[in-house]
Amino acid sequence: MVLKVIILAAGKGTRMRSNLPKVLQPLAQKPLLQHVIDTAQSLHCDEIITVIGHGAEQVKSQITGRHLLFTLQEEQLGTGHAVMQANSHYSESDTVLILYGDVPLTATSTLKRLLDSIDAQHPLSLLTVTLEEPTGYGRIVRDSKNAVQAIVEQKDANEQVLAITEVNTGIMAVKGSQLKKWLSTLDNRNAQAEYYLTDIISMAVSEGFSIQTTQPDNEIEVLGVNDKLQLQRLERQYQYECAKQLMQQGATVVDAQRLDVRGSVTIEPDVTLDVNVVLEGMVSLGANVTVGAHCILKNVQVAQNTHIHPFSHLEDCIVGQDCSIGPYARLRPGTELGNEAKVGNFVEIKKSKIGVGSKVSHLSYIGDTVMGNDVNIGAGTITCNYDGVNKYQTMIGDGVFIGSDTQLVAPVEIDSGATIGAGSTITKHAPANELTLSRSKQVTIKGWQKPTK
Ligand code: UD1
Ligand code: CA
């Protein structure tokens, strides 16, 4: 079976009141349309044809995917007209799945079920849902034997039809041959003078086909987004689903309303996530890892038994097991912490390796550094890695002790076992197992007078 997915994404989304096209509005930091494309891709489809119109250039430049092509609908004359723009991109023998660019959370399993329900005798299948509040949606009209007869749009419906609570989600699967034929006979004689895709249902019925219907497992899968309020509601629902999944895998989530997942998270047992944690990109957390309140982790790998204390910010880094980080730590891209390392408060680390059991406990900047095992970095120590033009490396051997308030002016090497006296500015190689310091002798000026006004 050749599967072509057509995504309708040409509409303006006036109610967003935004310069950003509707389908580029972010849900969990990813454009709505990108969610739809990623889902389509999970079906292993042969091609994705995205019908774009408003903000076409912007949409094209920000959306990516395999087997993805765009086709332009210059004027938005209705959903049927939109699908017609994809006409040359599918053939009669293809199966076509129609998705909407502003309905981001449809599950792959639901779409598979929808696709499984069509065959030569049943060339058209609809995803429908029963809503307590169906206003605005096209209604599914069934006969006395419960067979689908038609979809009637809100604006074309009489009282009796308006009372129907089963609605059209817009998502459907249809055989290419029939779709081509039915689209060619669409007209726009209706309340909105639009070419309605939904008119193909009554065409199929009049040709004697019975229409299949499938329902999603969760209502969230078919919710569309038209304004910022709906966007926010869907975001919270999505976030709740993410928290639920993590809890089902064994995580302790202190408050499911105060966790944000903007990417994908993998966890081992007994992870604890405190309030207002934000997880972005690819995050993996080992067994017993705790993430304190108000932490942001982006593209981070954390091994078991490590504790990340409140208000810490980690990005693009790898953390070993049994480490302690924060509170108020910042691990910037390229940081690697060995097992049992400790990074304390107000410490910033960039593009550096910290060895097993090494400690940077207070108020430091460590950049472009390779640090061995069991090193102790005193409070306020700073690597001076930048001369205003270039960046240089600092090498620190095993078992080194750096006294507080030291500046290590890179490039510089501190050999294993060395001790650096507090308050030093180290510009040259410090030999192994010796005390090195750069400090003028302490003097007391006898009889010195305080200045007066
Ligand atoms: C459509 C359905 C309705 C269904 C509802 C579900 C039709 C006639 N009606 O109504 O039965 O209950 O969706 O949300 O199909 N689009 C284009 N080009 C166009 C028109 C629309 O690309 O010319 C895109 C929009 O960007 C949007 C989607 O198609 O992503 C749906 O369009 P919209 O105008 O919101 O359709 P509804 O009137 O809500
Ligand atoms: Ca709509």
XYZ file of all heavy atoms in Angstrom, residues 69-159:
700
model
N 6.678 17.550 0.875
C 6.606 18.592 -0.149
C 5.439 19.528 0.137
O 4.508 19.186 0.861
C 6.564 17.998 -1.560
C 5.376 17.143 -1.984
C 4.267 18.032 -2.530
C 5.835 16.169 -3.045
N 5.555 20.720 -0.436
C 4.551 21.750 -0.187
C 3.841 22.093 -1.480
O 4.444 22.093 -2.548
C 5.223 23.012 0.359
C 5.848 22.809 1.705
C 7.208 22.501 1.809
C 5.102 22.923 2.867
C 7.798 22.309 3.058
C 5.682 22.732 4.119
C 7.029 22.423 4.208
N 2.559 22.354 -1.379
C 1.839 22.834 -2.552
C 1.023 24.050 -2.114
O 0.530 24.124 -0.990
C 0.975 21.716 -3.184
O 0.223 22.280 -4.253
C 0.026 21.087 -2.184
N 0.931 25.016 -3.010
C 0.353 26.304 -2.646
C -1.131 26.390 -3.012
O -1.522 26.070 -4.126
C 1.127 27.409 -3.369
C 0.837 28.838 -2.913
C 1.306 29.061 -1.481
C 1.529 29.831 -3.844
N -1.935 26.800 -2.047
C -3.338 27.120 -2.313
C -3.424 28.649 -2.216
O -3.430 29.204 -1.127
C -4.250 26.456 -1.270
C -5.729 26.673 -1.554
C -6.609 26.278 -0.373
O -6.198 26.322 0.781
N -7.852 25.921 -0.666
N -3.468 29.293 -3.371
C -3.346 30.760 -3.346
C -4.528 31.434 -2.668
O -4.383 32.385 -1.932
C -3.159 31.276 -4.773
C -1.832 30.751 -5.313
C -1.268 31.584 -6.434
O -1.701 32.747 -6.573
O -0.411 31.065 -7.163
N -5.722 30.918 -2.972
C -6.921 31.461 -2.331
C -7.557 30.343 -1.541
O -7.658 29.219 -2.032
C -7.930 31.867 -3.425
C -7.943 33.320 -3.766
C -9.106 33.597 -4.713
O -9.097 33.041 -5.836
O -10.024 34.323 -4.315
N -8.004 30.626 -0.319
C -8.588 29.578 0.499
C -10.084 29.455 0.225
O -10.891 30.172 0.795
C -8.311 29.834 1.984
C -6.905 29.419 2.400
C -5.813 30.382 1.951
O -5.855 31.558 2.286
N -4.845 29.895 1.182
N -10.415 28.542 -0.698
C -11.804 28.400 -1.141
C -12.481 27.191 -0.504
O -13.499 26.725 -0.999
C -11.857 28.293 -2.677
C -11.217 29.463 -3.432
C -11.289 29.220 -4.945
C -11.894 30.790 -3.078
N -11.916 26.685 0.575
C -12.544 25.576 1.284
C -11.662 24.351 1.384
O -10.675 24.217 0.655
N -12.039 23.444 2.284
C -11.217 22.255 2.537
C -11.147 21.337 1.310
O -10.114 20.714 1.056
C -11.755 21.455 3.744
O -13.166 21.260 3.580
C -11.530 22.200 5.055
N -12.248 21.274 0.539
C -12.259 20.457 -0.678
C -11.297 21.039 -1.700
O -10.495 20.324 -2.310
N -11.352 22.353 -1.847
C -10.450 23.061 -2.764
C -8.990 22.861 -2.353
O -8.106 22.690 -3.207
C -10.834 24.553 -2.781
C -10.019 25.381 -3.719
N -8.981 26.172 -3.285
C -10.086 25.540 -5.063
C -8.444 26.787 -4.325
N -9.100 26.422 -5.415
N -8.760 22.854 -1.048
C -7.390 22.657 -0.544
C -6.865 21.280 -0.962
O -5.740 21.159 -1.454
C -7.357 22.794 0.976
N -7.687 20.252 -0.790
C -7.239 18.898 -1.151
C -7.010 18.804 -2.670
O -6.092 18.116 -3.124
C -8.245 17.833 -0.658
C -7.807 16.433 -1.092
C -8.354 17.873 0.869
N -7.812 19.540 -3.453
C -7.622 19.540 -4.920
C -6.218 20.002 -5.309
O -5.683 19.571 -6.327
C -8.627 20.490 -5.591
C -10.052 19.985 -5.640
S -11.081 21.272 -6.438
C -12.679 20.911 -5.714
N -5.598 20.856 -4.498
C -4.262 21.375 -4.821
C -3.200 20.274 -4.765
O -2.084 20.456 -5.248
C -3.856 22.521 -3.878
C -4.888 23.629 -3.714
C -5.446 24.133 -5.030
O -4.687 24.521 -5.923
N -6.761 24.097 -5.163
N -3.561 19.167 -4.121
C -2.604 18.054 -3.997
C -2.853 16.986 -5.059
O -2.198 15.938 -5.060
C -2.706 17.448 -2.601
N -3.790 17.270 -5.961
C -4.272 16.285 -6.922
C -3.171 15.551 -7.697
O -3.229 14.341 -7.881
C -5.214 16.988 -7.910
C -6.135 16.003 -8.590
O -6.563 15.028 -7.961
N -6.409 16.221 -9.859
N -2.147 16.294 -8.123
C -1.125 15.663 -8.970
C -0.112 14.855 -8.153
O 0.777 14.227 -8.710
C -0.390 16.744 -9.768
O 0.239 17.632 -8.871
N -0.234 14.904 -6.839
C 0.782 14.249 -5.997
C 0.374 12.877 -5.467
O 1.104 12.264 -4.710
C 1.163 15.153 -4.835
C 1.777 16.446 -5.277
N 3.012 16.517 -5.883
C 1.301 17.713 -5.254
C 3.279 17.773 -6.181
N 2.254 18.528 -5.819
N -0.828 12.424 -5.817
C -1.189 11.053 -5.449
C -1.832 10.396 -6.657
O -2.348 11.077 -7.540
C -2.114 11.029 -4.224
C -3.486 11.638 -4.428
C -4.572 10.853 -4.839
C -3.687 12.998 -4.224
C -5.825 11.419 -5.035
C -4.941 13.573 -4.420
C -6.001 12.782 -4.825
O -7.237 13.336 -5.030
N -1.778 9.064 -6.696
C -2.355 8.366 -7.842
C -3.582 7.572 -7.393
O -3.853 7.445 -6.202
C -1.312 7.453 -8.477
O -1.072 6.375 -7.609
N -4.285 7.029 -8.365
C -5.549 6.331 -8.093
C -5.361 5.146 -7.150
O -6.234 4.837 -6.352
C -6.157 5.846 -9.414
C -6.291 6.986 -10.416
C -7.586 6.928 -11.199
O -8.001 5.807 -11.549
O -8.167 8.020 -11.439
N -4.205 4.506 -7.236
C -4.005 3.310 -6.401
C -3.515 3.642 -4.986
O -3.444 2.766 -4.127
C -3.005 2.379 -7.093
O -1.809 3.097 -7.317
N -3.174 4.897 -4.733
C -2.672 5.276 -3.400
C -3.803 5.337 -2.381
O -4.958 5.566 -2.723
C -2.009 6.667 -3.429
C -0.767 6.704 -4.294
O -0.281 5.616 -4.685
O -0.296 7.816 -4.592
N -3.416 5.162 -1.112
C -4.328 5.471 -0.015
C -3.963 6.875 0.468
O -2.779 7.197 0.607
C -4.143 4.453 1.127
O -4.525 3.172 0.624
C -5.021 4.803 2.325
N -4.989 7.688 0.700
C -4.742 9.073 1.100
C -5.273 9.291 2.518
O -6.409 8.918 2.828
C -5.421 10.057 0.117
C -5.228 11.504 0.588
C -4.858 9.881 -1.292
N -4.433 9.880 3.358
C -4.862 10.247 4.705
C -4.867 11.771 4.781
O -3.876 12.416 4.428
C -3.877 9.670 5.733
C -4.100 10.072 7.194
C -5.405 9.482 7.738
C -2.916 9.618 8.061
N -5.988 12.334 5.211
C -6.089 13.798 5.287
C -6.017 14.248 6.743
O -6.788 13.787 7.593
C -7.381 14.281 4.603
C -7.296 13.933 3.110
C -7.571 15.795 4.806
C -8.571 14.134 2.340
N -5.054 15.114 7.030
C -4.863 15.653 8.376
C -4.946 17.173 8.316
O -4.817 17.760 7.247
C -3.494 15.234 8.925
C -3.201 13.734 9.014
C -1.763 13.506 9.477
C -4.174 13.048 9.972
N -5.130 17.797 9.485
C -5.196 19.253 9.569
C -3.958 19.788 10.290
O -3.565 19.249 11.324
C -6.436 19.685 10.379
C -7.752 19.571 9.657
C -7.886 18.854 8.481
C -8.875 20.217 10.156
C -9.100 18.762 7.832
C -10.110 20.140 9.517
C -10.213 19.403 8.351
O -11.415 19.316 7.721
N -3.391 20.839 9.749
C -2.189 21.432 10.343
C -2.408 22.046 11.703
O -1.453 22.326 12.428
N -3.658 22.259 12.081
C -3.922 22.877 13.383
C -4.546 21.895 14.374
O -5.111 22.298 15.380
C -4.811 24.123 13.218
C -6.127 23.828 12.522
O -6.357 22.656 12.137
O -6.937 24.764 12.367
N -4.438 20.602 14.061
C -4.880 19.553 15.002
C -3.637 18.711 15.308
O -3.321 17.757 14.599
C -6.007 18.690 14.382
C -6.460 17.596 15.346
C -7.188 19.570 13.980
N -2.891 19.090 16.369
C -1.518 18.585 16.505
C -1.323 17.245 17.215
O -0.262 16.659 17.095
C -0.835 19.692 17.323
C -1.936 20.290 18.145
C -3.180 20.207 17.291
N -2.315 16.755 17.937
C -2.001 15.661 18.871
C -2.655 14.315 18.569
O -2.828 13.486 19.462
C -2.349 16.099 20.310
C -1.565 17.298 20.834
C -2.008 17.655 22.250
C -0.067 17.040 20.813
N -2.994 14.084 17.321
C -3.600 12.801 16.973
C -2.585 11.668 17.161
O -1.439 11.784 16.738
C -4.087 12.826 15.512
O -4.682 14.092 15.254
C -5.098 11.731 15.249
N -3.016 10.593 17.798
C -2.100 9.483 18.077
C -1.891 8.626 16.836
O -2.815 8.402 16.056
C -2.659 8.621 19.211
N -0.675 8.153 16.690
C -0.336 7.256 15.579
C -1.256 6.035 15.575
O -1.737 5.613 14.514
C 1.138 6.810 15.720
O 1.948 7.979 15.784
C 1.576 5.955 14.557
N -1.531 5.483 16.762
C -2.367 4.268 16.850
C -3.780 4.533 16.338
O -4.385 3.684 15.681
C -2.415 3.775 18.292
O -2.867 4.805 19.145
N -4.312 5.717 16.603
C -5.653 6.068 16.119
C -5.657 6.130 14.590
O -6.566 5.611 13.937
C -6.077 7.438 16.700
O -6.099 7.321 18.124
C -7.438 7.866 16.186
N -4.625 6.739 14.025
C -4.565 6.875 12.565
C -4.370 5.512 11.895
O -4.918 5.257 10.827
C -3.449 7.851 12.175
C -3.693 9.283 12.660
C -2.486 10.172 12.361
C -4.946 9.872 12.011
N -3.608 4.642 12.558
C -3.432 3.285 12.012
C -4.774 2.575 11.962
O -5.092 1.895 10.983
C -2.451 2.487 12.875
C -1.012 2.806 12.542
C -0.075 1.778 13.164
C 1.367 2.055 12.738
N 2.313 1.835 13.830
N -5.557 2.740 13.030
C -6.878 2.120 13.091
C -7.762 2.656 11.970
O -8.475 1.912 11.291
C -7.506 2.448 14.448
C -8.284 1.331 15.062
C -8.463 1.479 16.556
N -9.026 2.753 16.942
C -8.534 3.528 17.902
N -7.467 3.156 18.575
N -9.101 4.677 18.201
N -7.689 3.957 11.755
C -8.476 4.592 10.693
C -8.077 4.020 9.326
O -8.930 3.655 8.510
C -8.245 6.109 10.734
C -9.028 6.961 9.738
C -10.492 7.055 10.145
C -8.442 8.374 9.633
N -6.764 3.897 9.111
C -6.272 3.384 7.823
C -6.639 1.912 7.639
O -6.957 1.480 6.525
C -4.753 3.571 7.732
C -4.308 5.019 7.527
C -2.823 5.180 7.830
C -4.622 5.493 6.109
N -6.606 1.151 8.725
C -6.944 -0.272 8.649
C -8.410 -0.487 8.281
O -8.785 -1.570 7.840
C -6.670 -0.965 9.993
C -5.183 -1.208 10.196
O -4.435 -1.100 9.195
O -4.773 -1.473 11.334
N -9.244 0.529 8.515
C -10.679 0.329 8.297
C -11.105 0.558 6.844
O -12.269 0.377 6.509
C -11.484 1.228 9.238
O -11.330 2.581 8.847
N -10.174 0.959 5.971
C -10.607 1.106 4.569
C -10.096 -0.028 3.682
O -9.043 -0.610 3.919
C -10.234 2.483 3.942
C -8.726 2.649 3.783
C -10.822 3.638 4.724
C -8.380 3.839 2.905
N -10.911 -0.357 2.705
C -10.539 -1.353 1.691
C -11.364 -1.057 0.441
O -12.052 -0.030 0.383
C -10.769 -2.782 2.217
C -12.198 -3.002 2.712
O -13.145 -2.453 2.086
O -12.376 -3.717 3.721
N -11.307 -1.952 -0.550
C -11.987 -1.681 -1.824
C -13.490 -1.456 -1.646
O -14.088 -0.607 -2.307
C -11.738 -2.830 -2.795
N -14.102 -2.196 -0.711
C -15.545 -2.042 -0.476
C -15.864 -0.831 0.391
O -16.982 -0.330 0.395
C -16.147 -3.291 0.196
C -16.313 -4.492 -0.717
C -14.960 -5.124 -1.059
O -14.131 -5.361 -0.192
N -14.740 -5.349 -2.359
N -14.874 -0.413 1.163
C -15.070 0.716 2.084
C -13.993 1.757 1.813
O -13.008 1.834 2.543
C -14.978 0.243 3.541
C -15.931 -0.859 3.862
N -15.577 -2.188 3.763
C -17.222 -0.829 4.253
C -16.621 -2.944 4.088
N -17.634 -2.135 4.394
N -14.149 2.537 0.732
C -13.054 3.426 0.317
C -12.931 4.715 1.132
O -12.019 5.495 0.895
C -13.410 3.749 -1.140
C -14.898 3.610 -1.206
C -15.294 2.573 -0.202
N -13.836 4.918 2.105
C -13.805 6.179 2.849
C -14.074 5.914 4.328
O -15.044 5.243 4.682
C -14.878 7.122 2.287
C -15.086 8.469 2.966
C -13.816 9.305 2.946
C -16.203 9.241 2.264
N -13.206 6.437 5.179
C -13.371 6.234 6.608
C -13.117 7.550 7.340
O -12.172 8.278 7.028
C -12.388 5.159 7.069
O -12.665 4.801 8.395
N -13.957 7.838 8.319
C -13.888 9.123 9.021
C -13.471 8.936 10.468
O -13.869 7.965 11.116
C -15.271 9.790 9.036
C -15.946 10.067 7.704
C -17.376 10.553 7.960
C -15.152 11.092 6.919
N -12.731 9.914 10.974
C -12.458 9.963 12.410
C -13.497 10.913 13.014
O -13.537 12.095 12.675
C -11.044 10.476 12.662
C -10.559 10.411 14.108
C -10.434 8.969 14.584
C -9.215 11.114 14.256
N -14.352 10.360 13.841
C -15.411 11.193 14.435
C -15.265 11.171 15.947
O -14.553 10.337 16.512
C -16.825 10.674 14.073
O -17.075 9.469 14.816
C -16.970 10.411 12.592
N -15.959 12.103 16.592
C -15.911 12.152 18.050
C -17.231 12.725 18.552
O -17.876 13.523 17.860
C -14.694 12.989 18.519
C -14.837 14.457 18.157
C -14.440 12.833 20.004
N -17.663 12.266 19.710
C -18.896 12.802 20.294
C -18.515 13.845 21.340
O -17.727 13.567 22.243
C -19.715 11.658 20.923
O -20.028 10.735 19.874
C -21.009 12.175 21.539
N -19.029 15.041 21.145
C -18.667 16.160 22.016
C -19.890 16.671 22.758
O -20.974 16.772 22.177
C -18.098 17.319 21.190
C -16.801 17.081 20.425
C -16.441 18.334 19.636
C -15.671 16.701 21.365
N -19.703 17.016 24.029
C -20.796 17.621 24.789
C -21.212 18.935 24.142
O -22.380 19.301 24.125
C -20.318 17.907 26.216
C -20.723 16.840 27.207
C -20.155 17.124 28.584
O -20.370 18.245 29.084
O -19.492 16.221 29.130
N -20.233 19.659 23.625
C -20.475 20.975 23.038
C -20.042 20.941 21.557
O -18.891 21.242 21.241
C -19.666 22.006 23.846
C -19.834 23.438 23.421
C -21.248 23.837 23.064
O -22.005 24.172 23.990
O -21.586 23.819 21.857
N -20.947 20.527 20.662
C -20.531 20.313 19.269
C -20.565 21.570 18.379
O -20.223 21.490 17.193
C -21.581 19.306 18.770
C -22.807 19.606 19.563
C -22.356 20.142 20.899
N -20.914 22.703 18.955
C -21.082 23.925 18.149
C -19.846 24.221 17.296
O -18.723 24.174 17.795
C -21.373 25.136 19.067
O -22.466 24.792 19.902
C -21.712 26.385 18.274
N -20.088 24.530 16.014
C -19.007 24.907 15.111
C -18.547 23.767 14.221
O -18.020 24.004 13.140
N -18.742 22.557 14.675
C -18.272 21.397 13.908
C -19.310 20.920 12.900
O -20.517 21.136 13.071
C -17.968 20.233 14.851
C -16.733 20.411 15.677
C -16.797 20.995 16.931
C -15.493 19.988 15.207
C -15.650 21.156 17.713
C -14.344 20.138 15.969
C -14.435 20.729 17.218
O -13.299 20.879 17.971
N -18.848 20.210 11.866
C -19.740 19.503 10.962
C -20.330 18.308 11.696
O -19.628 17.612 12.428
N -21.653 18.088 11.532
C -22.305 16.987 12.251
C -22.377 15.729 11.382
O -22.565 15.803 10.163
C -23.737 17.376 12.648
C -23.852 18.672 13.418
C -23.105 18.617 14.759
N -23.717 19.571 15.689
C -23.492 20.885 15.653
N -22.682 21.411 14.760
N -24.104 21.671 16.528
N -22.239 14.575 12.039
C -22.339 13.288 11.358
C -23.812 12.861 11.355
O -24.376 12.568 12.413
C -21.498 12.209 12.082
C -20.047 12.692 12.295
C -21.558 10.880 11.334
C -19.218 12.831 11.042
N -24.402 12.854 10.168
C -25.818 12.482 10.061
C -25.907 10.986 9.730
O -25.304 10.526 8.738
C -26.517 13.316 8.966
C -27.979 12.914 8.833
C -26.392 14.804 9.284
N -26.634 10.212 10.575
C -26.785 8.774 10.369
C -28.259 8.441 10.128
O -29.149 9.173 10.568
C -26.276 7.993 11.591
C -24.760 8.085 11.800
C -24.335 7.385 13.066
N -22.912 7.550 13.356
C -21.956 6.700 12.963
N -22.262 5.617 12.259
N -20.689 6.926 13.269
N -28.507 7.325 9.440
C -29.898 6.913 9.212
C -30.370 6.012 10.369
O -29.646 5.813 11.340
C -30.056 6.233 7.841
C -29.318 4.900 7.769
O -28.837 4.407 8.830
O -29.202 4.352 6.655
N -31.591 5.450 10.212
C -32.169 4.663 11.305
C -31.355 3.403 11.591
O -31.404 2.848 12.676
C -33.610 4.284 10.966
O -33.607 3.600 9.719
N -30.566 2.961 10.600
C -29.724 1.774 10.819
C -28.312 2.177 11.264
O -27.378 1.363 11.235
C -29.647 0.941 9.541
C -30.954 0.259 9.202
C -30.749 -0.697 8.030
C -32.049 -1.118 7.431
N -32.245 -0.568 6.060
N -28.187 3.440 11.629
C -26.920 3.975 12.142
C -25.837 4.130 11.072
O -24.663 4.337 11.390
C -26.407 3.105 13.297
C -25.670 3.947 14.325
O -26.020 5.131 14.521
N -24.667 3.383 14.952
N -26.218 4.021 9.789
C -25.237 4.197 8.725
C -25.059 5.688 8.434
O -26.027 6.436 8.388
C -25.695 3.478 7.463
N -23.781 6.088 8.233
C -23.492 7.504 7.957
C -24.111 7.900 6.610
O -23.940 7.197 5.609
C -21.969 7.759 7.931
C -21.665 9.189 7.491
C -21.354 7.458 9.292
N -24.820 9.024 6.607
C -25.445 9.528 5.387
C -24.716 10.733 4.816
O -24.580 10.886 3.609
C -26.905 9.945 5.696
C -27.792 8.802 6.085
C -27.884 7.761 4.978
O -28.415 8.030 3.903
N -27.343 6.575 5.231
N -24.295 11.624 5.710
C -23.680 12.872 5.240
C -23.003 13.579 6.400
O -23.191 13.218 7.567
C -24.764 13.782 4.659
N -22.189 14.587 6.042
C -21.718 15.537 7.053
C -22.358 16.871 6.702
O -22.299 17.318 5.553
C -20.185 15.672 7.052
C -19.538 14.342 7.472
C -19.745 16.796 7.978
C -18.020 14.360 7.422
N -22.980 17.484 7.700
C -23.605 18.782 7.464
C -22.883 19.819 8.326
O -22.735 19.648 9.540
C -25.112 18.742 7.795
C -25.746 20.126 7.610
C -25.816 17.717 6.896
N -22.424 20.868 7.677
C -21.708 21.924 8.384
C -22.645 22.720 9.274
O -23.830 22.875 8.966
C -21.024 22.862 7.371
C -19.880 22.214 6.624
C -18.826 21.630 7.549
O -18.246 22.389 8.339
O -18.602 20.399 7.514
N -22.110 23.245 10.367
C -22.891 24.054 11.313
C -23.758 25.085 10.588
O -24.946 25.216 10.835
C -21.907 24.768 12.263
C -22.492 25.864 13.123
C -22.965 25.356 14.488
O -22.579 24.287 14.928
N -23.819 26.130 15.131
N -23.116 25.809 9.672
C -23.823 26.923 9.012
C -24.908 26.471 8.040
O -25.727 27.285 7.608
C -22.824 27.833 8.290
C -22.016 28.653 9.285
C -21.085 29.631 8.609
C -20.347 30.452 9.671
N -18.976 30.783 9.277
N -24.906 25.186 7.681
C -25.919 24.677 6.762
C -26.940 23.796 7.474
O -27.797 23.204 6.821
C -25.237 23.845 5.655
C -24.221 24.663 4.884
O -24.633 25.601 4.170
O -23.016 24.396 5.020
N -26.838 23.721 8.804
C -27.646 22.733 9.529
C -28.973 23.300 10.035
O -29.076 24.480 10.376
C -26.842 22.208 10.718
N -30.001 22.427 10.063
C -31.271 22.804 10.701
C -31.218 22.372 12.174
O -30.257 21.750 12.625
C -32.454 22.168 9.945
C -32.360 20.647 9.926
O -31.797 20.031 10.840
N -32.908 20.024 8.876
N -32.284 22.695 12.916
C -32.348 22.419 14.364
C -32.046 20.965 14.692
O -31.299 20.661 15.623
C -33.762 22.737 14.882
C -34.103 24.204 14.805
C -34.113 24.854 16.177
O -34.657 24.224 17.113
O -33.564 25.960 16.292
